[in-house]
Amino acid sequence: MDIVASGIRPTGFLHLGNYFGALRNFIKMQNENKCFFFIADYHSLTTHPHPSDLQTNVRNVLIDYIAAGLDPEKATIYVQSDVPQVCELSLLLSMNVYVGELQRVASFKEKVRRQPNNVNAGLLNYPVLMAADILLHRADKVPVGKDQEQHLEMTRDFAQRFNHIYQQEYFKLPVAYNFGNELVKIPGLDGSTKMSKSDNEASCIYLSDAPEVVRKKVMRAVSDSGPTEPGQPKSQAVENLFLLMKAVSTPDTVQYFEDQYQACQIRYGDMKKQLANDMIAFLQPIYERILELRSKSDYISKVAREGAEKARESASKTVRDVREIIGFKAL
Ligand code: ADP
Ligand code: TRP
């Protein structure tokens, strides 16, 4: 049985990109693997240091996890900061990580561009803490979206380096994973290639959006003035509408609009109406469970408490082993 570990930062509600890139894989994997799924609240401090939002965001993500189908009976679901052993492992790993390699990470360079007034050491150290999340449970597989590929490569580098330095095959080399096929990237409704709350809130459909909100957002999605000759390549915005449709609609529906596009007869209004209906149908059961879980505060707290206990057990064992391998001994 493989060990699986992954997490999502609690920076707001989860959107369809998070769902198709990460959460859907969590749900599929929980049946046949030993899974650890967490809410990466330490990681969220690099960009969202507001104490008043933190607990609400963590709770909302936990509700989204469960509403979408994560089962606390099957997977260990926990809040990262409830398992502080990850900080010790991160510190220990960081001794064999070079500042230069961290400065070259694409996500770090992007954050430097985006928040030049807050280039904190947490941002630089982000890949080390992320590696610690994964190695803490000695995971084999890590379900993530395409944007996390480089972080996973670094995790493997750090694991391999540790094994090499201490001459032990202690850590496995974990791989980024998407069930069945390649890592995915869900586009935004604003014509951008990635649905992301960090870029543009309006480009996101949240799992907790009410049906009328979903409809309004989809109807306002960016398109273009339509093809004028057969075989004309699609603009990014229109390609995005097709990609979103592929995620939630039947293949027949997608083919119908593809044919309409090729024949230059497509009406984007009709396509968006269909897309909105299919998204609403897809999200309906999740949305209803979210509303239900919001009133079950005790249950949510219990899931977090029990998940933390199980995660700490696995984490403590790894940290104990690592301390011993490194050579810490009682005097
Ligand atoms: P955001 O970009 O909205 O801030 P996060 O960075 O917190 O989202 O992403 C959490 C998880 O969801 C990661 O595994 C990431 O790869 C995945 N993810 C986020 N956006 C998308 C997307 N548009 N398509 C596919 N996966 C995504
Ligand atoms: N970096 C991930 C993101 O931005 C979140 C994350 C933190 C993560 N630790 C992780 C993902 C460990 C997988 C495994 O989405």
Side-chain angles (χ1 to χ4, degrees), residues 95-267:
M95 302 301 168
N96 301 317
V97 172
Y98 305 103
V99 171
E101 66 185 329
L102 294 175
Q103 284 168 328
R104 284 193 296 274
V105 176
S107 61
F108 175 70
K109 289 200 260 182
E110 195 199 315
K111 283 290 188 308
V112 172
R113 257 197 316 275
R114 255 185 223 216
Q115 50 180 65
N117 298 322
N118 184 17
V119 183
N120 57 72
L123 278 178
L124 187 67
N125 213 38
Y126 191 107
V128 185
L129 182 57
M130 180 159 163
D133 286 326
I134 297 167
L135 301 177
L136 194 61
H137 305 296
R138 302 172 74 192
D140 305 274
K141 288 179 182 161
V142 187
V144 279
K146 189 149 184 57
D147 57 329
Q148 298 297 315
E149 229 167 4
Q150 190 184 20
H151 289 152
L152 258 292
E153 254 166 54
M154 300 187 75
T155 301
R156 282 194 294 280
D157 284 349
F158 303 158
Q160 205 156 24
R161 212 172 283 172
F162 181 94
N163 290 348
H164 180 74
I165 291 171
Y166 296 104
Q167 289 295 300
Q168 294 207 25
E169 291 304 305
Y170 182 69
F171 289 122
K172 295 182 253 183
L173 306 185
V175 291
Y177 190 79
N178 187 289
F179 216 82
N181 46 31
E182 290 181 1
L183 302 188
V184 300
K185 187 155 88 170
I186 297 292
L189 292 170
D190 59 348
S192 64
T193 57
K194 185 185 163 210
M195 182 177 284
S196 170
K197 55 191 173 275
S198 325
D199 292 336
N200 177 5
E201 291 256 347
S203 81
C204 296
I205 298 282
Y206 294 105
L207 302 184
S208 50
D209 277 343
E212 57 280 12
V213 175
V214 174
R215 196 179 308 280
K216 213 181 271 169
K217 285 184 179 173
V218 173
M219 294 314 289
R220 280 199 204 130
V222 180
S223 60
D224 61 22
S225 51
T228 48
E229 52 189 77
Q232 189 175 322
K234 297 187 183 97
S235 65
Q236 186 64 54
V238 169
E239 178 67 25
N240 288 357
L241 291 180
F242 275 94
L243 285 171
L244 288 165
M245 199 169 229
K246 273 191 196 134
V248 295
S249 306
T250 64
D252 283 355
T253 306
V254 180
Q255 192 57 48
Y256 171 80
F257 287 101
E258 184 68 45
D259 293 345
Q260 294 278 306
Y261 182 90
Q262 294 307 338
C264 300
Q265 284 170 354
I266 191 156
R267 290 158 57 137

Side-chain angles (χ1 to χ4, degrees), residues 225-331:
S225 51
T228 48
E229 52 189 77
Q232 189 175 322
K234 297 187 183 97
S235 65
Q236 186 64 54
V238 169
E239 178 67 25
N240 288 357
L241 291 180
F242 275 94
L243 285 171
L244 288 165
M245 199 169 229
K246 273 191 196 134
V248 295
S249 306
T250 64
D252 283 355
T253 306
V254 180
Q255 192 57 48
Y256 171 80
F257 287 101
E258 184 68 45
D259 293 345
Q260 294 278 306
Y261 182 90
Q262 294 307 338
C264 300
Q265 284 170 354
I266 191 156
R267 290 158 57 137
Y268 293 129
D270 292 347
M271 183 179 184
K272 288 184 193 173
K273 238 182 249 166
Q274 180 71 44
L275 179 59
N277 284 340
D278 291 344
M279 258 185 202
I280 290 167
F282 173 80
L283 288 172
Q284 184 87 19
I286 301 179
Y287 176 68
E288 281 171 9
R289 279 195 297 268
I290 289 175
L291 296 187
E292 200 183 305
L293 286 166
R294 279 185 184 160
S295 60
K296 295 195 172 156
S297 178
D298 288 351
Y299 172 68
I300 295 300
S301 305
K302 178 170 164 272
V303 170
R305 212 171 41 242
E306 292 180 357
E309 251 166 57
K310 282 196 271 176
R312 277 195 294 260
E313 222 177 279
S314 153
S316 306
K317 175 166 187 333
T318 305
V319 169
R320 212 181 313 128
D321 289 349
V322 167
R323 288 176 65 110
E324 199 181 306
I325 293 170
I326 287 180
F328 290 120
K329 293 219 170 78
L331 294 180

